[in-house]
Amino acid sequence: MNLLKKITKFPTLYGILSVIFMWQLLSLALQSNVLPTPFKAITSFITLFPTILYKHILVSIYRIALALSISLLLGISLGMACGLYPTLDKLLSPITYILYPLPKVAFLPLFMIFMGIGDASKVTLMVSIIIFQVLIAVRDGIKEIPLELFQSMKTLGLTPIQLYKHLVVPAMLPKLFSAIRISLGICISTLFFAENFATSYGIGYLIMNAWSMVEYPKMFAGIIGLSLLGLILFKLVDLLETKCCPWLKK
């Protein structure tokens, strides 16, 4: 129990050390250059980060931030509209349910034809995936609000702005943050795929280019960079959720 308490105090450190330990065991078991030891990979990451790695990470962060911002703006607006107005929900939900399950990565060539090979096609691909998750999460969060609460708020004489502030937004925020977490994982995976086509910058490009050049320590340095990027983004979401939804931590 004492060990468990110590672990729960530093969960991130425990997770990192556990992965490194398993990585080291696997590397020793395979004895292959394809899987370098954690020490070699981390050394390569430290060496490459100040020279070229940080540039690729910054480009990937820019693409993720832009895609997430657009998706949140559109997804929250449409989700709130569908949650508050049943007629609009009946019009949009059938379209959403048809488009949402489609594998959007299959449309990357189409996006590249119409939007070029730059950032626009890659960002559009990520937006086409994330927006539906945000929309559905926000809509469902609002739909779960009991009708009696809306009636009580109106009886108290709250203005529409106060109704949104004290009822609608708090109800949708927990589901929204859950959707953002899921979206981030999918967003990073999709970006990795998209950055393998017609680009010379991005963490996905660096990893696959290192793989094709048989530079495995460099490849794993890129993987470490991608993992740290995901970890930092997830921690930022947790921090925002703590600030915006303090009642969840009680």
Side-chain angles (χ1 to χ4, degrees), residues 43-54 206 217-219 221-222:
T43 301
S44 179
F45 174 82
I46 294 172
T47 303
L48 292 173
F49 186 82
T51 55
I52 61 170
L53 187 55
Y54 82 94
L206 181 138
K218 183 179 179 180
M219 180 182 77

Side-chain angles (χ1 to χ4, degrees), residues 52 55-56 59-60 63 122 195 199-203 205-206:
I52 61 170
K55 297 178 183 178
H56 293 279
V59 170
S60 293
R63 290 167 178 161
K122 297 172 178 58
E195 286 181 339
T199 187
S200 55
Y201 279 100
I203 196 70
Y205 166 80
L206 181 138

Side-chain angles (χ1 to χ4, degrees), residues 20 25 41 43 45 56-57 64 106 123 140 169 175 224 227 231:
I20 291 175
L25 289 180
T43 301
F45 174 82
H56 293 279
I57 292 176
I64 291 172
V123 171
D140 290 351
V169 173
K175 284 187 175 291
I224 291 173
S227 301
L231 176 63

